[in-house]
Structures are given as structure tokens and as C-alpha cells.
Amino acid sequence: MITFEDATKHYPDGTVAVDGLNLTVETGCTTVFVGPSGSGKTTSLRMINRMVEPTSGCVLIDGKDIRSQDPALLRRSIGYVIQQAGLFPHRTVLDNIATVPRLLGWSRSRSRAKAHELLELVGLEPSQAKRYPHQLSGGQQQRVGVARALVADPPILLMDEPFSAVDPIVRAGLQEELARLQSELRKTIVFVTHDIDEAVRIGDRIAVFRPGGELAQCDTPERLLAEPVDAFVESFIGYDRGVRRLSFFPARNLSLREEAVVDHQSKVEWALSAATVSGEPWVLVVDHERRPLGWVSDAQLRDSPSGLALAELPRTPYGHTFDVADDSLRAALDAAVLSPAGRAVGVDEDGCVLGVVSQNDLGTALWSVS
């Protein structure tokens, strides 16, 4: 557990970076510090490993004031990942990862063996061990940075905007990787970001800082989105916080319309009957394995010969699907909004269609949880 007790940081020019921070970071959880530039989130993080010393107040780790510990030894016991990975350019990937164990007095063979384990853990190939940082992509470099921070198995991991320098696709992959690692390792993670979506995606708790270094609110992501404490927090989160909140409600409880799903070998007459029964202006055409092929409208069915198979008709693309078991209401809503038919296609883990849901039905479901 990390505890800030009235921790304050003033600089000689009068700047207040952190103003009387009282906060508890729970053991085994990911706590995200988020806020605009100049709100003190990075300064607060750096107080934990004594890269910044508080002007007043204190920081405790498991009840022990960190000022009683040697700064160098303290930092070696805490993992630290920064925005640009901070890798040594003249060292191989393996030797970069093995840096901290070597500083802790581990043998070369033990350090390298552990580094090889961490390579696989963070999703890198063994063949990349002998490469140098400049031979890796930005996302791969960040994975090396995470591996280096974890290799000595520290109980605490500090991450200062580690994914902000990579493109959105890579960033999403790194966020998923971090979530996977945390589910296995259960480290005490303090993660700094300016991106509220990233905070909601990875945080167990989110601490929102306001300009001037004051803590505005610290809560679970769901509670933060549902009940921002004041106008500043509400504005920082954004006015689409209701949509973000849908990420916490599962799609598995949706009522899907199976009768609107028709095999591609079915005749037009049968498909038109299915559309009538379901009350849907569209039917979803699937192949023999129930994988989606596309939409056909009831108007199109009425204008086609009744004996014609659906496979012979042109189809409207179905957009993208959502996983009924694992995805959220937000994913289902996104699929429905982007679908040309205004309907979301729900699938199982194998990609087979379980049914469809319209925007109207989604609206009813969303209203019940809002």
C-alpha cells in the first residue's frame, strides 16, 4: 500500500506542483493519475520513488516513510516505465532487461535467464533478444521497458505516460497487454496519463487532479463516470461519459432477435416471412456455419422472385460484430451505430451469429442501466 499524507511540493519560484495530497493506493490494484498539464500527477508519481522530494508531508509504503530508505535502493525495488522506454541504445534487448537484476547483484546467467522469461511474458519473440533498441518499433520498445521494470519482480510499478508516444492501434494493444499482465501478476501499479479513455480502460481506481496540484476525486471508473464530484471533473471526463459508462455493463443480457437471421440457401419467400415474423425491415444472411454475410432489406425481398435463393441477391455489408459473452453494451452500441442497417450483429467466441439487436432495442436496454 502506498499512502500520501498531506504530501506537498512547492518550487522556489512559488509554483505549487502538488498541494496537500492525501491518497491511498491499494496493494495489487492499478491506480491511474489523470488530469490536465500542470496538475501534479507526474510529480506525485515521482514522489513515490524519491525522484521528487516533497516539501512537506510524507509518502509511506506499507506504513514506512520512504525518506528512511536509501534513494538508490528504493528505486531498484520499484519498477519504472517512462514515455520513451528509456532504453540503453548500446545494449541489446536482453541486456536492457537484465539491467536492474545486475545492479541488485544477480549473476549474469541468472539475470539473463530471467530476462528471457520476461521477453515471452510481455509478448516479444526470443529472436528479438539480441536486437538493439533502434531495431525495434516504438511499441516493441515499450514492451522491453515494461519487461525491464518487471524483471526483478518489484511489488510496485510506476508508469509515467508509457504509451503516449505510440500510434492508437499500438497503444490499444499495449493497454490490453498491461491488463493481461496485471491479471496474472497483481502488482501495485501507479499509472499516469492525460487520456481519460486510457484511465477508464486500465484503472481499478482513477485519481483526477485539477490544475494547481489538488486531488479532485478518486473513485472506481464506473463511479467516476456516473457521479463526477464537481463541474471540473465532469468537464474533464467529457460530455460523452454516459457512453463510456456503458463499458461496464455486459452485452450478454441483451435480447437478440434470432428469427431475423436467415441461411444464405433459403428462398426469398422464406426470408420475407422471417422478416415479417421478426418485425424487422432487414434480415441478416449467414453461411452454413452461421457466419455473417450481409444484410438484405425487406423491400429488396419483396422486389425479388420468391424462388430465388438469398445467395443470389446482392447484400449490404454488416459492419462489425460484437461478442455477446465478453463485450459490453458500448461495443454493441458501436456496432449498431456503424451498421448500414442500424442493427448490431451478436456472435459467439467462434464468430457464429447468435442474433441481432436494433438501435431501438439497444436504447431500451441502455435506458434500464443508466
Side-chain angles (χ1 to χ4, degrees):
M1 181 183 294
I2 304 168
T3 308
F4 293 84
E5 294 186 349
D6 203 29
T8 300
K9 181 61 182 179
H10 292 181
Y11 287 101
D13 65 358
T15 301
V16 180
V18 180
D19 190 8
L21 177 60
N22 290 287
L23 176 68
T24 297
V25 175
E26 298 292 342
T27 300
C29 295
T30 299
T31 300
V32 182
F33 291 179
V34 66
S37 297
S39 59
K41 54 190 184 295
T42 290
T43 302
S44 299
L45 175 137
R46 292 181 177 178
M47 285 184 183
I48 298 170
N49 62 1
R50 296 191 65 183
M51 292 185 72
V52 172
E53 297 283 359
T55 306
S56 61
C58 60
V59 180
L60 312 175
I61 296 179
D62 294 334
K64 185 177 182 180
D65 193 327
I66 60 173
R67 289 174 295 189
S68 66
Q69 303 179 54
D70 177 83
L73 294 178
L74 174 69
R75 290 168 195 155
R76 291 172 191 172
S77 69
I78 297 175
Y80 187 43
V81 185
I82 59 176
Q83 183 175 352
Q84 297 289 351
L87 304 179
F88 297 110
H90 60 288
R91 293 185 181 177
T92 65
V93 166
L94 197 68
D95 287 336
N96 261 287
I97 297 173
T99 298
V100 173
R102 293 291 288 154
L103 290 173
L104 292 173
W106 294 22
S107 68
R108 183 180 178 86
S109 59
R110 181 188 175 196
S111 298
R112 288 196 155 199
K114 188 65 176 178
H116 272 295
E117 288 181 26
L118 266 294
L119 270 177
E120 182 177 353
L121 186 67
V122 299
L124 292 170
E125 297 295 328
S127 61
Q128 294 172 314
K130 296 182 179 179
R131 294 184 184 177
Y132 289 87
H134 74 273
Q135 296 174 308
L136 303 178
S137 68
Q140 290 169 339
Q141 289 182 30
Q142 287 304 116
R143 289 172 186 263
V144 175
V146 172
R148 184 175 63 181
L150 291 172
V151 67
D153 197 24
I156 296 171
L157 182 62
L158 307 181
M159 308 186 77
D160 189 4
E161 299 203 51
F163 308 147
S164 61
V166 297
D167 66 71
I169 294 177
V170 173
R171 186 173 189 168
L174 289 169
Q175 291 166 355
E176 290 178 4
E177 190 71 15
L178 177 62
R180 182 189 65 79
L181 288 172
Q182 178 66 333
S183 68
E184 295 180 13
L185 304 177
R186 303 312 305 175
K187 300 291 183 183
T188 302
I189 298 177
V190 179
F191 190 108
V192 168
T193 182
H194 63 275
D195 184 343
I196 188 63
D197 278 323
E198 183 167 64
V200 168
R201 186 171 188 178
I202 67 173
D204 296 306
R205 294 182 67 80
I206 301 174
V208 181
F209 289 74
R210 67 173 86 247
E214 296 181 357
L215 178 65
Q217 184 173 356
C218 184
D219 252 317
T220 63
E222 184 179 351
R223 187 173 176 83
L224 184 73
L225 293 172
E227 301 177 32
V229 72
D230 59 22
F232 166 76
V233 177
E234 183 175 15
S235 175
F236 182 79
I237 293 171
Y239 295 110
D240 57 348
R241 62 187 175 90
V243 175
R244 291 193 179 101
R245 186 167 174 251
L246 296 178
S247 300
F248 299 97
F249 297 96
R252 71 177 73 95
N253 296 325
L254 286 171
S255 296
L256 302 179
R257 295 179 182 271
E258 297 181 50
E259 62 271 22
V261 180
V262 183
D263 186 87
H264 69 301
Q265 295 295 344
S266 298
K267 302 299 182 182
V268 165
E269 183 179 2
W270 170 260
L272 190 57
S273 174
T276 302
V277 170
S278 66
E280 288 286 334
W282 297 83
V283 294
L284 181 71
V285 182
V286 296
D287 65 15
H288 66 284
E289 294 182 336
R290 287 187 69 84
R291 298 186 187 278
L293 296 175
W295 297 100
V296 173
S297 70
D298 61 350
Q300 185 180 357
L301 292 172
R302 284 194 295 269
D303 291 340
S304 301
S306 61
L308 203 64
L310 293 185
E312 301 177 67
L313 295 181
R315 295 182 292 268
T316 300
Y318 60 86
H320 70 268
T321 63
F322 70 95
D323 188 311
V324 174
D326 295 331
D327 278 338
S328 66
L329 287 182
R330 183 176 181 177
L333 177 62
D334 185 66
V337 169
L338 294 177
S339 167
R343 282 145 180 77
V345 179
V347 299
D348 63 17
E349 62 180 4
D350 296 319
C352 300
V353 174
L354 297 175
V356 302
V357 59
S358 70
Q359 289 185 17
N360 286 339
D361 289 340
L362 270 171
T364 301
L366 301 181
W367 177 258
S368 69
V369 300
S370 62

